[in-house]
Amino acid sequence: MFARSMSKIPLKIKFFFLIAVGLYTWFYFCLPSKLFNAPTSFVIEDKDGNLLNASIAADGQWRFPYDENVPDKFIKCITTFEDKRFYSHPGVDIIAFSRATLRNVRSKEVVQGGSTLTMQVIRLSRHETKRNIWEKIIESIQSVRLECSYSKKQIMALYASEAPFGSNVVGLDAASWRYFGRSPEKLSWGEMASLAVLPNAPALVHPGKNRQVLLKKRNALLDKLLTNKIIDQSTCYLSKLEPLPGEPVSLPQLAPHLLQRFKQEAQVNKSLPSRSKTTIDINLQKNVIDILNQHHNVLKGNGINNACALVLDVETGNVLAYVGNIYDTKNAELESDVDVIKAPRSPGSALKPILYAAMFSDGMILPNSLVPDIPTQIGGYAPQNFDLGYDGAVPASIALARSLNIPAVKLLQRYKYQRFYDLLKQLGITTLNKPADNYGLSLILGGGEITMWDLAGIYAGMARTLNHQKKNNGVALKEDFHAPNYLVSNKPIKKSADDVINSLDATSIWFAFQAMEEVMRPGEEGLWQEFSSSQQIAWKTGTSFGFRDAWAIGVTPKYVVAVWAGNTDGEGRAGLIGVQTSAPIMFDIFRELPSSKWFSKPANNFAFIPVCRESGFRANIDCPDVDTIMVPKNGYRSPLCPYHKLIHLDPTGIYRVNESCESPSNMIHKSWFVLTPAMEWYYKQKNHDYKPLPSFKPGCEFAETGKQMELIYPVQGAKIYVPLEIDGKRGKTIFTAANRKPGSKIFWHLDDEYIGTTINFHQMAASPSPGKHLLTIVDENGESISREFEILEKEK
């Protein structure tokens, strides 16, 4: 039917119909799907849209990404100067075109253009410089087509984003920052008028030439704005007095390392726009930069060249300040381009709070359980405390507050380093790329490298768990542990609310934070409790082996502040210690943050149990002083006190006795606090109220149970390197033992050869030759202990 009806249409009409369809099709598809494909600068802004940093585009141009929001001043200036009927014409202004043609014919040269802003957008997209009549016709058609698909607001934004402004500056945003050091919204009428006349003649901006021509054009535009009643007389007069743009100025460099991070992530994630708003608070960012620079002026005197800081909002995980390094590109020695926030570094002791909280949660220890602090060697690993001393035994919370290494290693030995390794990865550490056995027990002392980004994220997760304890019934959820975020458009990946982290809970974290809050602060901060304005902060330092990394990380219910100081090349420096270098920076940053109330005391997931006051363990039947305290829920599974036992004294209470020398009816039965010989030997040196076990009554048969004597050093299989003295002779090895019996004697034998006797204070110096040896000690009662060890020829 249709074919029959078409056959009746005259051939001429068919011909014109096909031409019309063809022209319409060409008109419809005459615009490319994307007008502009040139690379743009990477630009990051703070949370309020203030410029933080920008990079030059790949083609060497300062070209900011497309922005639909064009300031009203620019719109009024550019339409007054270039296209006063912009909002009424369909892309081609017939009146302006006719008038320009007439004037050009009369003058026999081009003295006036008739191009609209829409036509100029098309010309910019076609990269045309000289055009013939045919190209102008196509440009006009494409302009009409552009008006059919784009709104006037979008066309204006395209022009503002792609217009040339002289030199290598493209677009209004880039021009505003390069010529005036401010965003377009903050430009005056005189400044905006100066920019509005530049796309018409970009070469006018040359600071050494054409100044009068540029001035004349700008002032003429201001007069037009006055005539059109867009500005008043005083504004016009004052605007003419404003200076013209001169040498291009440098753009803000407030977050160069964050920009570097953003560019790298944008190359991986193609969906990221090259211009993004971040979560950074620009004022805090500036203050943190100033604080780091102030401290760096002192630190660099000790050869400490680098420092970085990261501030997070706890609830959201948003980054409020990101200073990846001291930034001074003129000093090559600083290696300013290295972003230390994302660089794997040894954390020193900064992971200890996680281990303590995990062991509290598991019920393996209670907050004040005594932990051994004695010379220790596990396999070939011999940890030492920072002060090289020993406490014998120390409450777990104090061991954490003082960051003692030996208790931490002994606790990790109990917890198992494989399990701790898995927990760290579960919480968000991404840099442990080797098997757990590669790190071993050294993991708790910084044996594995981590990033500040990951570490701060974990501390924020711990604080978040405490803040959410009421709604989560005191359990730790995986959704509360996520990486920090610095882009406004990003949201944390939500995990199932049923995903529970069994190794942590709010109560355990609270006890860990309580211990960290008690840490003695450096310098003037040591008196913080005397001032009502001071903040409660749970904080921890870390110092890596060889004094290469100094850390400080603090947490409040609202903020996490992490600081690192050191050298990016790994060079160690004496005095590069967390508490001396990074902690003062951290506290200065906290003073820039609003104060907040301390974490709420746990309201869920805890238990009350009887605890031995002296040992901190769950009370056994022999504990004389018992307190009922709040502990993590699994505290009921913790071990009973191993240090209190019942002893029998004679009627005077002076001597110990047994049934061989005293009638049970005459005995005084008393509970006694008894540490192992090695723990006792060090403990009583720092705890003068410690009472050793009384001696047995003379004539009473010896019936001691448990160890009377302990060989403290060396441990079995120890490999010992003894350095040479100044005179070239090999130094001495100091062997140490303990015997709890007052006035006891110990007889020392090296390789079955007697080398001496000690009384009360049991240390023996010797100079064994390189090779394997056997050390044997024997007390007066015939009890003996033997240990094999090896003296190394040179350090291994």
Side-chain angles (χ1 to χ4, degrees):
M1 178 72 91
F2 178 77
R4 189 180 303 167
S5 61
M6 286 291 293
S7 63
K8 296 180 180 179
I9 299 175
L11 185 62
K12 185 181 294 186
I13 295 177
K14 290 181 182 179
F15 177 73
F16 284 114
F17 175 76
L18 291 175
I19 291 177
V21 170
L23 289 173
Y24 176 79
T25 302
W26 177 84
F27 176 77
Y28 187 85
F29 291 104
C30 70
L31 280 183
S33 58
K34 188 175 181 181
L35 285 175
F36 298 96
N37 295 295
T40 61
S41 301
F42 282 93
V43 179
I44 54 173
E45 302 168 339
D46 86 329
K47 62 185 180 65
D48 297 318
N50 299 303
L51 182 65
L52 289 171
N53 251 96
S55 66
I56 198 165
D59 60 356
Q61 304 293 305
W62 283 105
R63 183 189 296 106
F64 280 25
Y66 170 83
D67 185 357
E68 194 170 273
N69 298 310
V70 181
D72 186 59
K73 279 183 185 177
F74 180 75
I75 294 174
K76 289 177 178 176
C77 283
I78 199 66
T79 52
T80 300
F81 184 72
E82 289 276 6
D83 191 354
K84 64 182 179 181
R85 281 180 288 275
F86 173 73
Y87 287 100
S88 59
H89 64 64
V92 177
D93 187 345
I94 301 300
I95 297 174
F97 182 79
S98 301
R99 184 173 60 248
T101 302
L102 184 61
R103 287 193 63 185
N104 293 338
V105 168
R106 288 175 178 174
S107 302
K108 298 181 180 180
E109 61 178 337
V110 178
V111 296
Q112 181 177 344
S115 296
T116 64
L117 291 177
T118 310
M119 295 171 70
Q120 291 184 48
V121 169
I122 293 297
R123 187 169 71 251
L124 290 170
S125 71
R126 291 163 61 92
H127 305 290
E128 292 177 346
T129 53
K130 295 182 178 180
R131 299 168 294 157
N132 56 36
I133 187 65
W134 175 246
E135 288 169 336
K136 290 182 179 180
I137 292 173
I138 294 176
E139 179 184 292
S140 299
I141 296 172
Q142 286 182 320
S143 298
V144 176
R145 177 66 183 88
L146 183 65
E147 294 273 355
C148 295
S149 298
Y150 290 74
S151 68
K152 289 289 186 178
K153 179 180 179 181
Q154 290 173 321
I155 294 171
M156 178 62 72
L158 284 171
Y159 178 82
S161 297
E162 298 295 335
F165 284 85
S167 184
N168 64 339
V169 180
V170 176
L172 174 64
D173 278 352
S176 178
W177 281 104
R178 287 291 282 164
Y179 296 136
F180 297 108
R182 296 193 300 282
S183 64
E185 295 81 9
K186 297 179 180 178
L187 295 185
S188 66
W189 280 105
E191 292 167 334
M192 193 65 84
S194 297
L195 293 184
V197 302
L198 284 180
N200 184 265
L204 294 181
V205 80
H206 193 289
K209 300 177 182 179
N210 307 320
R211 308 300 285 171
Q212 290 304 313
V213 178
L214 177 59
L215 180 65
K216 183 179 179 181
K217 281 179 171 285
R218 183 200 66 177
N219 291 348
L221 173 55
L222 290 170
D223 288 336
K224 281 187 178 181
L225 293 172
L226 175 62
T227 302
N228 294 341
K229 297 182 179 181
I230 296 173
I231 60 175
D232 57 31
Q233 183 70 51
S234 61
T235 301
C236 181
Y237 173 75
L238 293 173
S239 296
K240 290 180 178 181
L241 297 178
E242 293 181 14
L244 295 172
E247 289 281 357
V249 299
S250 298
L251 271 63
Q253 295 284 322
L254 295 175
H257 302 96
L258 186 60
L259 176 66
Q260 175 182 307
R261 185 185 194 112
F262 173 64
K263 289 173 64 176
Q264 291 170 350
E265 293 183 4
Q267 290 171 357
V268 176
N269 182 3
K270 300 299 183 182
S271 65
L272 276 179
S274 56
R275 180 175 189 158
S276 289
K277 184 178 289 188
T278 71
T279 58
I280 297 292
D281 180 325
I282 194 169
N283 292 321
L284 180 62
Q285 179 79 2
K286 291 177 180 178
N287 290 340
V288 172
I289 292 171
D290 289 343
I291 290 170
L292 280 174
N293 286 334
Q294 290 167 14
H295 283 269
H296 179 251
N297 289 333
V298 177
L299 294 175
K300 66 184 180 183
N302 187 30
I304 301 170
N305 294 323
N306 306 99
C308 68
L310 181 66
V311 181
L312 303 183
D313 173 80
V314 165
E315 182 58 32
T316 61
N318 288 343
V319 177
L320 304 180
Y322 188 113
V323 184
N325 204 342
I326 300 296
Y327 195 65
D328 183 2
T329 54
K330 296 179 182 178
N331 188 345
E333 185 180 351
L334 293 184
E335 297 185 334
S336 293
D337 59 316
V338 177
D339 181 1
V340 188
I341 289 176
K342 62 183 296 185
R345 309 287 304 196
S346 168
S349 299
L351 300 178
K352 287 178 182 175
I354 303 171
L355 174 63
Y356 278 80
M359 294 192 74
F360 293 158
S361 181
D362 203 50
M364 298 180 76
I365 57 172
L366 297 180
N368 291 310
S369 297
L370 287 178
V371 183
D373 182 24
I374 57 176
T376 300
Q377 184 160 350
I378 304 169
Y381 184 51
Q384 290 183 315
N385 293 324
F386 188 77
D387 61 3
L388 303 181
Y390 307 96
D391 282 52
V394 61
S397 59
I398 295 179
L400 175 57
R402 291 175 52 196
S403 196
L404 296 175
N405 291 338
I406 292 174
V409 170
K410 284 188 167 292
L411 289 178
L412 182 58
Q413 187 181 24
R414 286 177 55 193
Y415 190 77
K416 305 303 181 188
Y417 64 78
Q418 297 91 341
R419 186 181 177 196
F420 187 58
Y421 170 89
D422 291 338
L423 174 60
L424 291 177
K425 299 193 79 169
Q426 183 183 21
L427 295 179
I429 299 296
T430 60
T431 52
L432 298 177
N433 301 319
K434 299 177 182 178
D437 290 341
N438 186 78
Y439 307 105
L441 295 174
S442 70
L443 188 59
I444 196 59
L445 302 183
E449 293 184 334
I450 66 172
T451 65
M452 179 181 286
W453 186 258
D454 289 349
L455 184 64
I458 291 181
Y459 272 82
M462 294 169 74
R464 216 172 283 126
T465 298
L466 270 180
N467 290 342
H468 297 169
Q469 59 171 308
K470 187 174 181 180
K471 72 173 184 177
N472 295 336
N473 295 318
V475 301
L477 300 181
K478 290 182 180 178
E479 66 177 9
D480 281 335
F481 288 83
H482 53 76
N485 168 63
Y486 68 91
L487 291 175
V488 169
S489 58
N490 284 352
K491 301 294 181 184
I493 298 174
K494 284 291 184 182
K495 303 172 186 176
S496 170
D498 297 329
D499 287 345
V500 176
I501 298 176
N502 294 314
S503 299
L504 290 177
D505 62 73
T507 307
S508 302
I509 294 171
W510 188 79
F511 275 109
F513 281 3
Q514 286 293 101
M516 294 162 64
E517 193 250 351
E518 294 296 326
V519 178
M520 182 65 183
R521 300 185 184 183
E524 296 178 358
E525 281 288 332
L527 301 174
W528 71 275
Q529 291 171 315
E530 304 295 325
F531 303 95
S532 58
S533 60
S534 297
Q535 293 193 68
Q536 287 181 269
I537 301 169
W539 66 289
K540 186 75 188 70
T541 60
T543 303
S544 67
F545 178 78
F547 304 102
R548 295 183 176 92
D549 305 271
W551 296 72
I553 185 163
V555 59
T556 68
K558 287 190 175 182
Y559 304 104
V560 171
V561 176
V563 175
W564 174 92
N567 290 305
T568 55
D569 62 5
E571 179 186 359
R573 301 297 298 176
L576 184 56
I577 302 167
V579 72
Q580 294 180 10
T581 57
S582 297
I585 300 174
M586 182 196 72
F587 284 113
D588 281 353
I589 294 173
F590 265 116
R591 279 194 283 270
E592 299 294 328
L593 299 170
S595 297
S596 61
K597 293 181 180 179
W598 189 237
F599 295 100
S600 299
K601 195 172 183 178
N604 307 86
N605 209 29
F606 62 86
F608 285 96
I609 64 171
V611 173
C612 178
R613 186 181 301 169
E614 198 161 11
S615 71
F617 278 79
R618 192 158 57 94
N620 66 19
I621 194 172
D622 295 323
C623 288
D625 300 310
V626 176
D627 297 320
T628 299
I629 66 171
M630 182 185 75
V631 297
K633 186 176 181 180
N634 287 330
Y636 69 90
R637 301 193 312 194
S638 64
L640 292 170
C641 175
Y643 300 121
H644 278 93
K645 65 179 182 179
L646 196 65
I647 65 171
H648 312 294
L649 303 175
D650 70 350
T652 67
I654 298 175
Y655 296 104
R656 276 188 292 166
V657 295
N658 54 44
E659 64 276 5
S660 67
C661 60
E662 190 70 58
S663 170
S665 61
N666 295 329
M667 294 179 183
I668 298 175
H669 308 288
K670 190 173 184 179
S671 177
W672 207 274
F673 179 58
V674 185
L675 296 173
T676 65
M679 292 169 66
E680 180 183 90
W681 195 79
Y682 291 99
Y683 187 82
K684 65 185 179 183
Q685 296 178 39
K686 295 191 176 183
N687 297 269
H688 301 297
D689 56 345
Y690 177 79
K691 296 179 180 179
L693 279 170
S695 301
F696 272 93
K697 185 177 180 180
C700 208
E701 181 183 338
F702 182 79
E704 179 65 274
T705 57
K707 292 192 295 184
Q708 277 287 97
M709 180 174 63
E710 191 168 350
L711 182 54
I712 300 174
Y713 184 81
V715 297
Q716 178 64 30
K719 297 181 183 296
I720 304 170
Y721 171 70
V722 183
L724 298 178
E725 302 290 353
I726 296 178
D727 59 5
K729 296 181 180 179
R730 185 177 296 278
K732 293 183 178 294
T733 302
I734 307 299
F735 303 120
T736 306
N739 192 310
R740 62 164 43 104
K741 182 180 179 181
S744 62
K745 293 182 179 181
I746 291 182
F747 306 97
W748 299 77
H749 301 79
L750 183 61
D751 298 326
D752 294 329
E753 180 180 338
Y754 171 74
I755 58 173
T757 301
T758 54
I759 302 175
N760 281 326
F761 187 75
H762 302 294
Q763 284 191 334
M764 179 62 65
S767 299
S769 60
K772 294 185 177 180
H773 299 275
L774 178 68
L775 179 68
T776 303
I777 59 174
V778 183
D779 70 1
E780 297 164 296
N781 299 307
E783 183 180 354
S784 67
I785 302 175
S786 295
R787 292 275 169 79
E788 291 182 344
F789 66 95
E790 182 181 359
I791 298 292
L792 302 177
E793 179 69 41
K794 60 180 180 179
E795 187 173 7
K796 294 184 179 179

